[in-house]
Amino acid sequence: MKYIIKRNINLFGKTNIIKFGYNVKINNNGNGFENFDIGNEEIIINDLLKPLNQETINKLNEINPIYVSLSKYFFDNNKKLTFIEYENDIAISRISRDDLQ
């Protein structure tokens, strides 16, 4: 099953929706997920977004296209994350961990 945590972030004057995707397994007893704590992942995502001010985003964009740089940053700092989807008023981009290997 896929579990997605959705957040809004401002990139270059446009609001983007970022969806952080996880592949999770439901417990045999059906009352939760195996090896996945929603609350902890919410905290991890919020902590990853805190340092992303416009200056940091501009620096990331100098290294690679912004979605590639951001994805690398997120994947490097959250090992359970399996894909990231970026959505704005023009386009949707989806990057999986395997895409950056």
Side-chain angles (χ1 to χ4, degrees):
M1 169 178 158
K2 290 188 176 24
Y3 186 84
I4 299 173
I5 297 173
K6 184 171 111 173
R7 293 289 183 270
N8 293 331
I9 185 171
N10 189 346
L11 295 174
F12 306 114
K14 290 187 177 193
T15 299
N16 283 250
I17 297 169
I18 300 181
K19 297 175 183 174
F20 298 90
Y22 300 86
N23 290 329
V24 298
K25 292 183 181 179
I26 297 174
N27 282 339
N28 289 337
N29 58 14
N31 66 355
F33 301 114
E34 290 181 17
N35 300 321
F36 186 79
D37 183 332
I38 295 167
N40 286 344
E41 293 304 316
E42 293 266 357
I43 291 168
I44 289 168
I45 295 297
N46 291 341
D47 287 347
L48 287 174
L49 291 173
K50 283 180 188 174
L52 292 179
N53 58 35
Q54 198 60 52
E55 181 180 339
T56 304
I57 289 169
N58 288 341
K59 286 180 184 176
L60 286 172
N61 195 42
E62 291 172 8
I63 300 167
N64 285 307
I66 191 62
Y67 294 134
V68 173
S69 295
L70 268 179
S71 298
K72 184 167 176 18
Y73 166 77
F74 293 133
F75 287 132
D76 286 349
N77 289 287
N78 188 341
K79 301 304 179 199
K80 292 183 181 178
L81 192 59
T82 56
F83 72 89
I84 303 167
E85 193 171 284
Y86 303 93
E87 180 180 338
N88 61 37
D89 56 349
I90 299 171
I92 298 174
S93 300
R94 183 175 182 175
I95 299 175
S96 73
R97 183 178 290 279
D98 292 340
D99 291 336
L100 295 179
Q101 299 300 329

